[in-house]
Amino acid sequence: MKKRSSKCLLVFLVIMFIFFQLVSCQKPKKYPPLSEQEVVPKGIGVNIHGNLNEQEVKQMRDAGVKYVRVDLFWNSIEKEKGHYDFGQYDKLNQILKENNIRPYYILDYSNKLYEKNHSIVTEQGRKAFGEYVKATVKRYKGQNGVWEIWNEPNLEMFWNNQPSYKDYSLLVESVAPIIKKYDESGIVVAPAISGISDTSLEWLKQLFKNEKVTADLDAISVHPYRNTKPETVLEDYGKLRRIIDKYGKKGLPIISGEWGYPVNTKTGNVTITEQKQAEFLIRMFLINASQHIPVSIWYDWRNDGLDPNNNQHNFGLLTYEYKPKQSYFALVNFNRTLKGYHFDKKLEYGQPNDYVLKFTNNKGKKVLVFWTTESNHYMSINFPSGKGKLISMMGEKQSVKWNQKQIVLKFSSAPSYLVID
């Protein structure tokens, strides 16, 4: 009897040992799919330069900003070989945490301790960059943020000499697995290419010749700047997706990592006033939503200087003196009106220059967002009889009712919202 009991106990202990081994080997629960960022405003972010004060971050939080994109300069962190100083970034990281804003960290650029030029082309440089990445990721892990490998490596000013796709591909191949290993909550993206032109797409094709490049990437990041209206990006996204599916990894999401329009410049024959910047900002976010772009970063949070005639100084949602522009208030209204909603579909009414996008939340409520790229006009659209609120781009509200399954809407270049009760 004692022998049988001993054997049973031994079998039980072995089973329990195996069970605990299996449990301990299970991977930690991963963050929800990137597609969940498509719910407004989960994927909305801004680019910054340097640190932020607490008041700015609170202002971002109140505006519905969920990501802050910022450089983590390698040469500022590692000034002596093997010694990493994160002092200038720790405070920013803590403030973002406290305000529930996710970091979108750019891991860049080169370091004179290891490389001669503004690039990484040696095995020594790649190994040292990998150590810097390891130290950085371990320090700021677990925040469900974005890790971007370099910025615009297809431009000479950020990676010399060009073309750089071969050396850059080796860098991504060596660094992406390190990020995955030390921060399973993070979203790993690359290459933050500048523009969606024939030249940049050819660069991307060449990059994808190294099949290992996309193995550990969660998304391809791109900067779709243009001297045309935001809607022209639709064709470019189509080209980009075909390149990714054919030469990269099919179905890999696209992130709009940097895109903006500076005030006091011209886009085509359109002068970018504060009003026009606000319109293009909202239309950019709407078009990205319609293309299932999970993260959209506006460049820039604040003007970089005081000169109103300097193009580079006028991308901000705020002036250099921290005064909110019309684009800031338009963003606040966008995030409040569409909070909890996701893009459903584009409604077609036979007018190629008119846009009517339907958004839906998890309770089945609907919002129509509409605008035109042509002159102002009225149009009747078919929609079930009902009531709701018309909200302008800047937040003015008006109660409306309609019967006969039709409603007349005024289309302008400034998007408006029809929130249906």
Side-chain angles (χ1 to χ4, degrees):
M1 191 74 173
K2 285 184 180 180
K3 287 184 178 180
R4 184 178 296 179
S5 299
S6 298
K7 285 182 179 179
C8 290
L9 178 60
L10 181 60
V11 171
F12 173 77
L13 290 173
V14 169
I15 292 172
M16 292 302 295
F17 175 79
I18 294 171
F19 172 79
F20 283 117
Q21 285 294 312
L22 289 172
V23 170
S24 65
C25 289
Q26 287 181 349
K27 289 186 177 181
K29 185 179 179 182
K30 287 203 171 188
Y31 191 66
L34 191 57
S35 60
E36 292 194 13
Q37 305 297 96
E38 293 182 32
V39 177
V40 180
K42 289 183 179 179
I44 300 297
V46 293
N47 199 98
I48 68 164
H49 300 286
N51 279 317
L52 298 169
N53 59 51
E54 290 188 40
Q55 184 58 40
E56 279 184 276
V57 178
K58 288 177 181 177
Q59 196 170 8
M60 286 180 179
R61 179 198 63 197
D62 294 344
V65 171
K66 296 300 182 183
Y67 282 100
V68 163
R69 181 175 182 263
V70 62
D71 299 276
L72 298 184
F73 295 116
W74 180 20
N75 63 0
S76 295
I77 291 171
E78 187 181 3
K79 293 180 180 179
E80 298 177 24
K81 283 191 176 184
H83 177 72
Y84 306 104
D85 182 358
F86 294 94
Q88 64 177 308
Y89 298 111
D90 283 348
K91 183 179 179 182
L92 170 64
N93 191 75
Q94 185 59 36
I95 297 174
L96 294 179
K97 262 186 178 180
E98 290 169 357
N99 287 275
N100 197 30
I101 295 177
R102 294 175 187 154
Y104 185 129
Y105 284 145
I106 317 166
L107 299 162
D108 59 14
Y109 288 104
S110 192
N111 192 318
K112 290 293 184 182
L113 295 174
Y114 304 98
E115 294 283 351
K116 292 180 181 179
N117 296 323
H118 199 62
S119 55
I120 298 178
V121 297
T122 67
E123 184 59 34
Q124 175 193 232
R126 281 189 288 275
K127 184 177 180 181
F129 188 81
E131 291 299 318
Y132 140 77
V133 168
K134 177 182 174 181
T136 305
V137 172
K138 287 177 73 175
R139 193 173 190 87
Y140 300 132
K141 65 182 179 181
Q143 298 184 65
N144 305 317
V146 175
W147 296 102
E148 188 165 54
I149 304 169
W150 216 268
N151 173 68
E152 299 185 348
N154 60 318
L155 294 186
E156 186 82 22
M157 68 181 295
F158 294 116
W159 187 298
N160 50 70
N161 298 313
Q162 289 290 343
S164 66
Y165 36 79
K166 184 177 179 181
D167 287 315
Y168 177 73
S169 74
L170 293 174
L171 186 69
V172 175
E173 179 189 337
S174 64
V175 165
I178 294 173
I179 302 171
K180 284 290 185 185
K181 179 178 180 180
Y182 291 102
D183 185 13
E184 291 197 359
S185 80
I187 299 164
V188 185
V189 306
I193 57 169
S194 175
I196 312 178
S197 62
D198 291 342
T199 302
S200 61
L201 290 178
E202 181 59 34
W203 189 93
L204 199 62
K205 281 185 195 177
Q206 296 298 325
L207 179 69
F208 288 155
K209 284 185 176 180
N210 181 347
E211 296 178 356
K212 296 178 182 178
V213 164
T214 57
D216 289 298
L217 294 185
D218 297 303
I220 293 294
S221 56
V222 63
H223 300 168
Y225 287 104
R226 59 203 49 244
N227 290 318
T228 53
K229 300 169 184 176
E231 293 77 11
T232 59
V233 82
L234 290 168
E235 183 179 354
D236 292 339
Y237 279 149
K239 292 178 182 177
L240 179 57
R241 287 189 195 282
R242 288 190 287 274
I243 295 291
I244 294 169
D245 290 348
K246 184 175 181 180
Y247 300 97
K249 185 163 67 176
K250 191 170 184 179
L252 199 61
I254 298 168
I255 278 180
S256 177
E258 186 181 314
W259 184 5
Y261 290 89
V263 173
N264 294 334
T265 60
K266 275 207 166 188
T267 294
N269 59 355
V270 176
T271 300
I272 306 296
T273 60
E274 275 202 27
Q275 165 72 17
K276 189 57 65 178
Q277 184 193 49
E279 292 176 8
F280 280 10
L281 163 79
I282 301 305
R283 282 158 55 178
M284 181 200 86
F285 283 138
L286 289 167
I287 288 297
N288 279 352
S290 76
Q291 297 304 296
H292 302 286
I293 306 295
V295 177
S296 296
I297 306 295
W298 174 262
Y299 187 94
D300 206 358
W301 167 246
R302 173 175 164 243
N303 282 359
D304 293 333
L306 289 166
D307 183 358
N309 297 313
N310 186 325
N311 294 355
Q312 298 303 313
H313 289 175
N314 288 289
F315 281 92
L317 300 176
L318 309 182
T319 67
Y320 187 72
E321 302 91 344
Y322 298 96
K323 179 183 177 183
K325 298 183 191 175
Q326 290 184 44
S327 51
Y328 172 83
F329 295 112
L331 177 62
V332 171
N333 184 53
F334 171 86
N335 285 332
R336 285 179 182 171
T337 304
L338 292 179
K339 184 177 182 180
Y341 286 80
H342 65 272
F343 172 74
D344 187 346
K345 64 180 178 178
K346 183 175 185 280
L347 305 182
E348 299 290 352
Y349 294 97
Q351 301 296 327
N353 297 313
D354 292 345
Y355 293 80
V356 183
L357 306 185
K358 185 171 81 168
F359 286 76
T360 307
N361 67 12
N362 59 9
K363 295 180 181 178
K365 290 194 68 175
K366 298 174 178 59
V367 176
L368 301 186
V369 191
F370 55 95
W371 75 96
T372 184
T373 58
E374 296 298 321
S375 55
N376 296 358
H377 62 273
Y378 288 90
M379 186 171 74
S380 296
I381 68 169
N382 298 323
F383 208 78
S385 301
K387 63 178 182 175
K389 289 185 180 65
L390 271 174
I391 303 177
S392 73
M393 182 180 76
M394 301 306 292
E396 294 90 356
K397 297 179 182 179
Q398 174 189 348
S399 296
V400 290
K401 288 184 180 180
W402 62 98
N403 298 307
Q404 313 301 325
K405 295 186 178 180
Q406 278 197 335
I407 182 171
V408 178
L409 299 173
K410 182 181 179 180
F411 283 69
S412 74
S413 57
S416 296
Y417 311 84
L418 174 61
V419 181
I420 300 164
D421 290 342

PDB file of all heavy atoms in Angstrom, residues 253-272:
ATOM      1  N   PRO A 253       1.446  46.074 -42.598  1.00  0.00           N
ATOM      2  CA  PRO A 253       0.790  47.382 -42.525  1.00  0.00           C
ATOM      3  C   PRO A 253       1.725  48.546 -42.880  1.00  0.00           C
ATOM      4  O   PRO A 253       2.954  48.413 -42.820  1.00  0.00           O
ATOM      5  CB  PRO A 253       0.350  47.479 -41.059  1.00  0.00           C
ATOM      6  CG  PRO A 253       0.345  46.080 -40.562  1.00  0.00           C
ATOM      7  CD  PRO A 253       1.434  45.373 -41.307  1.00  0.00           C
ATOM      8  N   ILE A 254       1.112  49.663 -43.229  1.00  0.00           N
ATOM      9  CA  ILE A 254       1.837  50.904 -43.509  1.00  0.00           C
ATOM     10  C   ILE A 254       1.552  51.894 -42.393  1.00  0.00           C
ATOM     11  O   ILE A 254       0.403  52.064 -41.982  1.00  0.00           O
ATOM     12  CB  ILE A 254       1.400  51.506 -44.856  1.00  0.00           C
ATOM     13  CG1 ILE A 254       1.724  50.557 -46.012  1.00  0.00           C
ATOM     14  CG2 ILE A 254       2.056  52.868 -45.088  1.00  0.00           C
ATOM     15  CD1 ILE A 254       1.082  50.946 -47.329  1.00  0.00           C
ATOM     16  N   ILE A 255       2.598  52.549 -41.903  1.00  0.00           N
ATOM     17  CA  ILE A 255       2.459  53.617 -40.913  1.00  0.00           C
ATOM     18  C   ILE A 255       2.864  54.935 -41.558  1.00  0.00           C
ATOM     19  O   ILE A 255       3.873  55.009 -42.256  1.00  0.00           O
ATOM     20  CB  ILE A 255       3.339  53.323 -39.676  1.00  0.00           C
ATOM     21  CG1 ILE A 255       2.614  52.357 -38.728  1.00  0.00           C
ATOM     22  CG2 ILE A 255       3.702  54.601 -38.926  1.00  0.00           C
ATOM     23  CD1 ILE A 255       3.408  52.016 -37.495  1.00  0.00           C
ATOM     24  N   SER A 256       2.063  55.966 -41.341  1.00  0.00           N
ATOM     25  CA  SER A 256       2.401  57.312 -41.794  1.00  0.00           C
ATOM     26  C   SER A 256       3.175  57.990 -40.663  1.00  0.00           C
ATOM     27  O   SER A 256       2.602  58.582 -39.759  1.00  0.00           O
ATOM     28  CB  SER A 256       1.128  58.098 -42.131  1.00  0.00           C
ATOM     29  OG  SER A 256       1.430  59.419 -42.517  1.00  0.00           O
ATOM     30  N   GLY A 257       4.508  57.873 -40.731  1.00  0.00           N
ATOM     31  CA  GLY A 257       5.341  58.266 -39.601  1.00  0.00           C
ATOM     32  C   GLY A 257       5.693  59.730 -39.522  1.00  0.00           C
ATOM     33  O   GLY A 257       6.195  60.190 -38.489  1.00  0.00           O
ATOM     34  N   GLU A 258       5.449  60.477 -40.607  1.00  0.00           N
ATOM     35  CA  GLU A 258       5.769  61.909 -40.590  1.00  0.00           C
ATOM     36  C   GLU A 258       5.154  62.546 -41.828  1.00  0.00           C
ATOM     37  O   GLU A 258       5.433  62.127 -42.955  1.00  0.00           O
ATOM     38  CB  GLU A 258       7.286  62.104 -40.586  1.00  0.00           C
ATOM     39  CG  GLU A 258       7.735  63.550 -40.430  1.00  0.00           C
ATOM     40  CD  GLU A 258       9.262  63.674 -40.457  1.00  0.00           C
ATOM     41  OE1 GLU A 258       9.943  62.881 -39.775  1.00  0.00           O
ATOM     42  OE2 GLU A 258       9.763  64.545 -41.181  1.00  0.00           O
ATOM     43  N   TRP A 259       4.314  63.580 -41.603  1.00  0.00           N
ATOM     44  CA  TRP A 259       3.653  64.247 -42.737  1.00  0.00           C
ATOM     45  C   TRP A 259       3.030  65.534 -42.213  1.00  0.00           C
ATOM     46  O   TRP A 259       2.354  65.529 -41.187  1.00  0.00           O
ATOM     47  CB  TRP A 259       2.597  63.324 -43.330  1.00  0.00           C
ATOM     48  CG  TRP A 259       1.913  63.840 -44.559  1.00  0.00           C
ATOM     49  CD1 TRP A 259       2.182  64.973 -45.266  1.00  0.00           C
ATOM     50  CD2 TRP A 259       0.808  63.208 -45.228  1.00  0.00           C
ATOM     51  NE1 TRP A 259       1.342  65.090 -46.338  1.00  0.00           N
ATOM     52  CE2 TRP A 259       0.489  64.018 -46.338  1.00  0.00           C
ATOM     53  CE3 TRP A 259       0.064  62.049 -45.002  1.00  0.00           C
ATOM     54  CZ2 TRP A 259      -0.562  63.697 -47.220  1.00  0.00           C
ATOM     55  CZ3 TRP A 259      -0.969  61.732 -45.872  1.00  0.00           C
ATOM     56  CH2 TRP A 259      -1.274  62.538 -46.968  1.00  0.00           C
ATOM     57  N   GLY A 260       3.260  66.623 -42.918  1.00  0.00           N
ATOM     58  CA  GLY A 260       2.658  67.887 -42.513  1.00  0.00           C
ATOM     59  C   GLY A 260       2.699  68.907 -43.634  1.00  0.00           C
ATOM     60  O   GLY A 260       3.276  68.674 -44.701  1.00  0.00           O
ATOM     61  N   TYR A 261       2.070  70.052 -43.382  1.00  0.00           N
ATOM     62  CA  TYR A 261       2.029  71.171 -44.321  1.00  0.00           C
ATOM     63  C   TYR A 261       2.362  72.459 -43.567  1.00  0.00           C
ATOM     64  O   TYR A 261       1.666  72.808 -42.606  1.00  0.00           O
ATOM     65  CB  TYR A 261       0.636  71.304 -44.935  1.00  0.00           C
ATOM     66  CG  TYR A 261       0.264  70.203 -45.907  1.00  0.00           C
ATOM     67  CD1 TYR A 261      -0.361  69.038 -45.463  1.00  0.00           C
ATOM     68  CD2 TYR A 261       0.522  70.333 -47.273  1.00  0.00           C
ATOM     69  CE1 TYR A 261      -0.724  68.034 -46.345  1.00  0.00           C
ATOM     70  CE2 TYR A 261       0.162  69.338 -48.175  1.00  0.00           C
ATOM     71  CZ  TYR A 261      -0.461  68.190 -47.705  1.00  0.00           C
ATOM     72  OH  TYR A 261      -0.806  67.188 -48.588  1.00  0.00           O
ATOM     73  N   PRO A 262       3.405  73.166 -43.984  1.00  0.00           N
ATOM     74  CA  PRO A 262       3.770  74.403 -43.282  1.00  0.00           C
ATOM     75  C   PRO A 262       2.940  75.599 -43.731  1.00  0.00           C
ATOM     76  O   PRO A 262       2.642  75.752 -44.921  1.00  0.00           O
ATOM     77  CB  PRO A 262       5.242  74.584 -43.655  1.00  0.00           C
ATOM     78  CG  PRO A 262       5.358  73.949 -45.009  1.00  0.00           C
ATOM     79  CD  PRO A 262       4.379  72.821 -45.038  1.00  0.00           C
ATOM     80  N   VAL A 263       2.580  76.447 -42.790  1.00  0.00           N
ATOM     81  CA  VAL A 263       1.856  77.689 -43.086  1.00  0.00           C
ATOM     82  C   VAL A 263       2.778  78.639 -43.853  1.00  0.00           C
ATOM     83  O   VAL A 263       4.001  78.600 -43.714  1.00  0.00           O
ATOM     84  CB  VAL A 263       1.363  78.338 -41.777  1.00  0.00           C
ATOM     85  CG1 VAL A 263       0.765  79.720 -42.028  1.00  0.00           C
ATOM     86  CG2 VAL A 263       0.344  77.434 -41.095  1.00  0.00           C
ATOM     87  N   ASN A 264       2.167  79.493 -44.671  1.00  0.00           N
ATOM     88  CA  ASN A 264       2.881  80.507 -45.480  1.00  0.00           C
ATOM     89  C   ASN A 264       3.682  79.905 -46.625  1.00  0.00           C
ATOM     90  O   ASN A 264       4.687  80.461 -47.053  1.00  0.00           O
ATOM     91  CB  ASN A 264       3.813  81.372 -44.612  1.00  0.00           C
ATOM     92  CG  ASN A 264       3.045  82.239 -43.627  1.00  0.00           C
ATOM     93  OD1 ASN A 264       1.885  82.575 -43.867  1.00  0.00           O
ATOM     94  ND2 ASN A 264       3.675  82.582 -42.518  1.00  0.00           N
ATOM     95  N   THR A 265       3.228  78.747 -47.120  1.00  0.00           N
ATOM     96  CA  THR A 265       3.837  78.171 -48.320  1.00  0.00           C
ATOM     97  C   THR A 265       2.716  77.918 -49.330  1.00  0.00           C
ATOM     98  O   THR A 265       1.540  78.134 -49.053  1.00  0.00           O
ATOM     99  CB  THR A 265       4.547  76.847 -48.013  1.00  0.00           C
ATOM    100  OG1 THR A 265       3.585  75.912 -47.491  1.00  0.00           O
ATOM    101  CG2 THR A 265       5.656  77.037 -47.012  1.00  0.00           C
ATOM    102  N   LYS A 266       3.101  77.437 -50.503  1.00  0.00           N
ATOM    103  CA  LYS A 266       2.118  77.117 -51.529  1.00  0.00           C
ATOM    104  C   LYS A 266       2.138  75.632 -51.825  1.00  0.00           C
ATOM    105  O   LYS A 266       3.197  75.014 -51.911  1.00  0.00           O
ATOM    106  CB  LYS A 266       2.396  77.908 -52.808  1.00  0.00           C
ATOM    107  CG  LYS A 266       1.781  79.308 -52.800  1.00  0.00           C
ATOM    108  CD  LYS A 266       1.504  79.781 -54.217  1.00  0.00           C
ATOM    109  CE  LYS A 266       0.597  81.006 -54.192  1.00  0.00           C
ATOM    110  NZ  LYS A 266       0.148  81.368 -55.543  1.00  0.00           N
ATOM    111  N   THR A 267       0.962  75.046 -51.967  1.00  0.00           N
ATOM    112  CA  THR A 267       0.808  73.678 -52.413  1.00  0.00           C
ATOM    113  C   THR A 267       0.038  73.736 -53.715  1.00  0.00           C
ATOM    114  O   THR A 267      -1.166  74.009 -53.722  1.00  0.00           O
ATOM    115  CB  THR A 267       0.053  72.833 -51.367  1.00  0.00           C
ATOM    116  OG1 THR A 267       0.847  72.734 -50.194  1.00  0.00           O
ATOM    117  CG2 THR A 267      -0.242  71.451 -51.889  1.00  0.00           C
ATOM    118  N   GLY A 268       0.742  73.524 -54.839  1.00  0.00           N
ATOM    119  CA  GLY A 268       0.114  73.761 -56.127  1.00  0.00           C
ATOM    120  C   GLY A 268      -0.190  75.237 -56.243  1.00  0.00           C
ATOM    121  O   GLY A 268       0.680  76.087 -56.067  1.00  0.00           O
ATOM    122  N   ASN A 269      -1.459  75.552 -56.491  1.00  0.00           N
ATOM    123  CA  ASN A 269      -1.866  76.958 -56.550  1.00  0.00           C
ATOM    124  C   ASN A 269      -2.590  77.397 -55.279  1.00  0.00           C
ATOM    125  O   ASN A 269      -3.243  78.432 -55.246  1.00  0.00           O
ATOM    126  CB  ASN A 269      -2.761  77.206 -57.776  1.00  0.00           C
ATOM    127  CG  ASN A 269      -4.018  76.341 -57.742  1.00  0.00           C
ATOM    128  OD1 ASN A 269      -4.168  75.503 -56.853  1.00  0.00           O
ATOM    129  ND2 ASN A 269      -4.903  76.534 -58.699  1.00  0.00           N
ATOM    130  N   VAL A 270      -2.463  76.575 -54.218  1.00  0.00           N
ATOM    131  CA  VAL A 270      -3.145  76.862 -52.947  1.00  0.00           C
ATOM    132  C   VAL A 270      -2.140  77.396 -51.936  1.00  0.00           C
ATOM    133  O   VAL A 270      -1.104  76.777 -51.688  1.00  0.00           O
ATOM    134  CB  VAL A 270      -3.823  75.595 -52.385  1.00  0.00           C
ATOM    135  CG1 VAL A 270      -4.454  75.878 -51.022  1.00  0.00           C
ATOM    136  CG2 VAL A 270      -4.857  75.067 -53.358  1.00  0.00           C
ATOM    137  N   THR A 271      -2.449  78.549 -51.354  1.00  0.00           N
ATOM    138  CA  THR A 271      -1.619  79.100 -50.279  1.00  0.00           C
ATOM    139  C   THR A 271      -2.023  78.454 -48.959  1.00  0.00           C
ATOM    140  O   THR A 271      -3.205  78.393 -48.624  1.00  0.00           O
ATOM    141  CB  THR A 271      -1.781  80.623 -50.179  1.00  0.00           C
ATOM    142  OG1 THR A 271      -1.377  81.208 -51.420  1.00  0.00           O
ATOM    143  CG2 THR A 271      -0.927  81.188 -49.056  1.00  0.00           C
ATOM    144  N   ILE A 272      -1.044  77.975 -48.221  1.00  0.00           N
ATOM    145  CA  ILE A 272      -1.324  77.321 -46.942  1.00  0.00           C
ATOM    146  C   ILE A 272      -1.446  78.382 -45.845  1.00  0.00           C
ATOM    147  O   ILE A 272      -0.452  78.824 -45.268  1.00  0.00           O
ATOM    148  CB  ILE A 272      -0.237  76.300 -46.573  1.00  0.00           C
ATOM    149  CG1 ILE A 272      -0.041  75.290 -47.706  1.00  0.00           C
ATOM    150  CG2 ILE A 272      -0.596  75.565 -45.280  1.00  0.00           C
ATOM    151  CD1 ILE A 272      -1.227  74.415 -47.988  1.00  0.00           C
TER     152      ILE A 272
END
